[in-house]
Structure formats: structure tokens, C-alpha cells
Amino acid sequence: MTLQLAFDLPSGEAFRRADFFVSDANAQALAAVEAWRGWPGGKLVLVGPEGAGKTHLAHVWAEMAGAEVISAAKLPEVDLHHLAQHPVAVENADRIAGDTQAEVALFHLHNLLAGRGLLVTATSPPRDWGLDLPDLLSRMQAAGVAQLDPPDDMLLSAVLIKLFADRQIVVAPNLISYLVSRMDRSFAAAREWVKFLDARALAHGRPVTRALAAEVLDLTVVG
């Protein structure tokens, strides 16, 4: 069979509140984000593994609070006074440890916001980021922390369905249960499976099915 060309086009992920699936793994974090007007000091650190939904929740909060969403690494490149005119969600703050300019920028942004709404996302609590700036560390440690846990079966199933839908792919329930029972229990793994199955289906001119997933699984085991 002649292979078709498969281009890895970006999928249109939806970050609306209606697209955020709630389970025991994320219900408490969602409740904390939705109660943002009562955050101590007007700030919250949202913690969870890669792909756990931190970006989705950051956008849900941004919609509620009229906030801007920005990567922590980009803070030195923007006008902080202009940014701080609205609440701000800062993503991946743990990745700027040791970056003096980014640490200083986050410190100044925190002070400019003066408790008017700062959501910070990371994979671990501030004490584990390895920050060099003591004043920034103390301010981040003073924030409340909301935890996103690894997904349970229900949440992982919902996320797989959403990821396929983002690529305009409708799949049968038997594929979802098959993947959930065999894949690594992480959102990052879900993204990789959906991306790979989509690419393989396009390349071979086939639909995304349980049979295709079984073939892919055999390939990964053999490989």
C-alpha cells in the first residue's frame, strides 16, 4: 500500500470551562481556581504533572478574571506595568530557576499586581523550584497551593476523547478503554498516543480504531 503524506498540523485545543472534565483528580484544584476572589494575598500556585490540565485551568481562570496568560520565561520581554493592569496567569514558573532576569521580572510583577490576581503554574511547589532570588521564593511560598493529581480512568478517558475531538476524529468507546488499560497514566502519554495514532492513520489511509492501536502497541513492544 502506498503511504500517504502525513503532516503534523497543530490541533485546535479548546480551553473553555465547558471542555474541562472534572473528576476526583482535579475537582479540588478547579474549586480553588473558581474561588479566586478569595485567594490569600490574591495569588495561587497551581501544581501538577506535565499535561495535567494546568494550562487549561489557567485559561479558564483568565476568562473568569479578565486575566492575561504568559509564560514565565517571556516576562523579561514584556512591559510589566502594562501587563499588571489586569490579573495575570504565569505558566511554568518552575522552569525559570536560575534565570536571573526572569526571576526578577516575576518578583516585580508580583509586587505590581499587589494582590489583584496572580495565578502561577508549575510541576512542583515553590520550595522545589530552586529559585535564586530569596524575595521571590518567600512570596511564592506565601501563596496558596492547589494540586492537580494524575488522572483516574474516568478523567483519562475524557481527555483522550477530547484530544481526538480536537483533531476532528470520532472514535469508538472500545478504543478508549483499550488505550486507558495499557498506556502510561499521564496526560502527556495521552497526547503522544493521539498524535501518533492520528499520524499513522493518515499515513496508511485508515481510520483510528482499536485494531490500529493494537498494531501500534505491538510495534512499540517490539521496538
Side-chain angles (χ1 to χ4, degrees), residues 43-100:
K43 54 191 174 184
L44 181 75
V45 176
L46 182 61
V47 175
E50 292 292 338
K54 297 187 298 295
T55 291
H56 195 153
L57 266 186
H59 281 82
V60 168
W61 177 71
E63 180 67 22
M64 290 188 299
E68 299 284 342
V69 181
I70 187 171
S71 168
K74 292 188 176 297
L75 287 176
E77 305 171 12
V78 302
D79 182 339
L80 296 178
H81 286 84
H82 177 75
L83 183 63
Q85 291 179 9
H86 307 280
V88 181
V90 178
E91 294 204 277
N92 303 315
D94 50 329
R95 297 182 186 176
I96 64 170
D99 182 337
T100 301

Side-chain angles (χ1 to χ4, degrees), residues 125-143:
R127 66 174 181 272
D128 299 326
W129 297 354
L131 295 173
D132 291 335
L133 189 62
D135 288 340
L136 176 61
L137 176 59
S138 66
R139 282 158 177 76
M140 290 296 99
Q141 286 185 312

Side-chain angles (χ1 to χ4, degrees), residues 166-216:
D166 287 339
R167 292 173 178 264
Q168 300 183 343
I169 301 171
V170 178
V171 295
N174 68 341
L175 170 62
I176 300 300
S177 59
Y178 180 83
L179 291 175
V180 168
S181 65
R182 288 163 176 81
M183 63 186 287
D184 291 341
R185 306 200 61 76
S186 72
F187 290 99
R191 291 176 185 275
E192 288 302 309
W193 268 100
V194 170
K195 177 181 176 181
F196 191 77
L197 286 172
D198 186 20
R200 189 166 181 82
L202 286 171
H204 290 267
R206 297 173 56 186
V208 178
T209 62
R210 181 189 180 283
L212 181 65
E215 293 175 14
V216 171

